[in-house]
Amino acid sequence: MRFLPVSILLPVVTLTLAADQATGASLWNDCAHRVIAAIAFEELPPEARQAIVEILDQHPAAQDATFWAEHRWNGDDAALNRFMNAAVFPDDAKRPGPFKRYDIGRAHYINFRIMVDGEGRVEVLPPLQDLDDDDPHGDILESLATNLEIARDRSAPTSDRALALSWIFHLVGDLHQPLHNVARFSPATPNGDRGGNEVRFGEGNLHSYWDRALGTDATPESVEALAATLRAEHPRETFADRLAEPNPNRWSSEGVALALQTVYRNLDPSLAEFPDLPIGYDADARALARRQSALAGYRLADLLLEIATPPDHCTSPN
């Protein structure tokens, strides 16, 4: 596996995320992925934007006569549409349709194990070893590394680089949703909660709650407005320390720490149903969703700039 042992990572994350302990969790439905893509779009210089768009023009979904061209959430800016449609393509591929063959369900997550015993003691363990360890599109960290390698390879077919880019857009977003990084094993869920999917929470489950924490309005007007608001609310410079860490393994470790600090906070491990949300939980979740999506947008922009810029001309966005 490509990640570092979580026992090495967590002490660092606990220090760097101390300010987030009063806030909540994360997001990552169509609305959130599009917002993250829109933030990255605005962060990139025009020439890098155009380079990414030219690659995405060769994506299988772009070559289809209607799939992206007539997407229901398209706005007036064709280049921005490319970014936003790419960001949700791996989820579109889950749905029945012409691109189902591109669906790789396991690539959307990694399950660091949060072990909680009957006395409430907590231990974090690495994910269980997968039997198919040679799969280049294994868990989210393996898949992101594979797709980054393809996208950076200027000798690779452009259609392959375009498909890899859509996964990069999406997986960077997923990594910033804490429940895409963990599963909790507790008296109530002894076989693991599958990233919160086995925990009833409000009217749905814990995972779907976090996936919707940024909102559900994926219309282009709403997405563009929210992206602009988040850039103003959480400017790039407020993440200077975290943006200096380009290693996605560390980003996943941040997700583990956020799950410990906020996602499972005040959720009794002896229960698997929470019809009523803890007091303050919803406000905390939305606050951190906003912060995490802004950070994801900046990190995505940094990766895209690297991919778009010839090696001897690399600079930082803005």
Side-chain angles (χ1 to χ4, degrees), residues 23-24 209 280-288:
T23 56
Y209 170 86
Y281 196 94
D282 195 61
D284 288 348
R286 294 182 187 280
L288 188 57

Side-chain angles (χ1 to χ4, degrees), residues 26-32 177 201-217 282 285-286 289:
S26 247
L27 46 140
W28 289 232
N29 51 11
D30 280 8
C31 167
Q177 208 277 50
F201 196 75
E203 297 180 356
N205 64 53
L206 187 63
H207 189 100
S208 65
Y209 170 86
W210 288 115
D211 275 349
R212 297 191 302 268
L214 192 67
T216 58
D217 187 350
D282 195 61
R286 294 182 187 280

Side-chain angles (χ1 to χ4, degrees), residues 249-311:
N249 299 328
R250 293 277 181 171
W251 306 350
S252 183
S253 179
E254 291 173 1
V256 176
L258 287 172
L260 289 166
Q261 294 166 357
T262 60
V263 175
Y264 292 112
R265 185 179 59 199
N266 297 329
L267 299 185
D268 188 337
S270 68
L271 302 175
E273 293 189 22
F274 300 89
D276 299 314
L277 276 59
I279 294 173
Y281 196 94
D282 195 61
D284 288 348
R286 294 182 187 280
L288 188 57
R290 297 172 77 87
R291 183 174 175 84
Q292 284 291 97
S293 58
L295 175 60
Y298 298 138
R299 281 173 166 164
L300 176 60
D302 290 350
L303 290 176
L304 295 177
L305 182 64
E306 176 199 348
I307 291 165
T309 306

